[in-house]
Amino acid sequence: MAIHKLELGEFDEIDYNLIAIHTSVEDYRLAYFINQNFPVLLSKSKNEIHINVKEGETHFSRFAYYDEEKELYWDLIQNKNEVIQNTPNDSQDLFSDTSMEVATKVYLLPEFKKVDYFLKIEKSEEAFDILKIQQILNTIDTISTVYIVDTNKIKSKNNLIF
């Protein structure tokens, strides 16, 4: 009987680049500006990213595009969102029948709390210039800061699997 071995290192490879984007514009406007400056057509994906945390469940918006020519997947992902919890009022006063809504900030990648959006570009065999993409993103007026994230330093990599 033959023994088959699987190398786990093959599955652990990171085959994407991640660009952090700091901006104050809404996700659909940012997708529009990226579409204007790149030969892509980011569109709202019905498959939002669902994250369950102790405070509750939240959904992060996602804009996606597949470049068939270069075989690249582009994803613009929201990093910040809120979970709203209804907590009953335990006091015995005039407002005891009311419940309070508490909003808690939740992050897709908690180690990057200041980042508003991530641009995830999944690589193919063909090389592309990530520095050129960063340089073009920096020319967009509504974006304040753009930088490439070292994917080896991300602790919550599982949140980027979708």
Side-chain angles (χ1 to χ4, degrees):
M1 177 160 59
I3 297 175
H4 297 283
K5 286 186 178 181
L6 290 177
E7 293 290 328
L8 294 178
E10 294 176 14
F11 299 109
D12 197 28
E13 288 182 25
I14 297 175
D15 59 345
Y16 58 86
N17 285 15
L18 198 63
I19 299 175
I21 300 174
H22 295 259
T23 184
S24 60
V25 299
E26 297 86 4
D27 53 1
Y28 64 91
R29 291 190 64 198
L30 181 60
Y32 172 78
F33 291 131
I34 291 173
N35 288 342
Q36 295 297 313
N37 288 282
F38 292 97
V40 299
L41 188 58
L42 290 168
S43 60
K44 181 88 170 171
S45 175
K46 293 178 183 174
N47 300 327
E48 292 184 330
I49 301 166
H50 303 282
I51 300 289
N52 288 319
V53 291
K54 64 182 178 183
E55 293 86 10
E57 181 179 337
T58 188
H59 308 280
F60 294 96
S61 68
R62 175 180 172 205
F63 287 76
Y65 173 73
Y66 175 63
D67 185 351
E68 292 180 15
E69 181 182 317
K70 296 180 182 175
E71 296 180 348
L72 295 175
Y73 287 97
W74 293 61
D75 284 301
L76 179 65
I77 312 156
Q78 178 184 19
N79 187 43
K80 298 177 182 178
N81 209 346
E82 289 184 344
V83 173
I84 298 176
Q85 296 174 292
N86 286 324
T87 57
N89 192 351
D90 294 334
S91 63
Q92 298 295 328
D93 59 8
L94 181 62
F95 304 107
S96 62
D97 292 338
T98 63
S99 63
M100 295 175 49
E101 287 187 353
V102 178
T104 308
K105 280 252 190 223
V106 179
Y107 303 94
L108 182 68
L109 298 180
E111 55 268 28
F112 297 100
K113 290 184 178 182
K114 296 192 185 271
V115 175
D116 297 305
Y117 300 96
F118 288 105
L119 183 63
K120 178 183 172 189
I121 303 172
E122 291 188 31
K123 301 178 200 174
S124 67
E125 300 301 319
E126 184 179 324
F128 69 98
D129 191 0
I130 192 72
L131 295 175
K132 179 82 171 165
I133 293 171
Q134 177 189 9
Q135 190 177 34
I136 294 171
L137 284 171
N138 269 324
T139 63
I140 299 174
D141 291 336
T142 57
I143 296 176
S144 57
T145 308
V146 174
Y147 55 89
I148 299 170
V149 176
D150 183 2
T151 52
N152 295 320
K153 294 183 179 177
I154 300 172
K155 296 176 186 170
S156 48
K157 291 178 187 174
N158 290 341
N159 291 350
L160 293 173
I161 299 172
F162 43 83

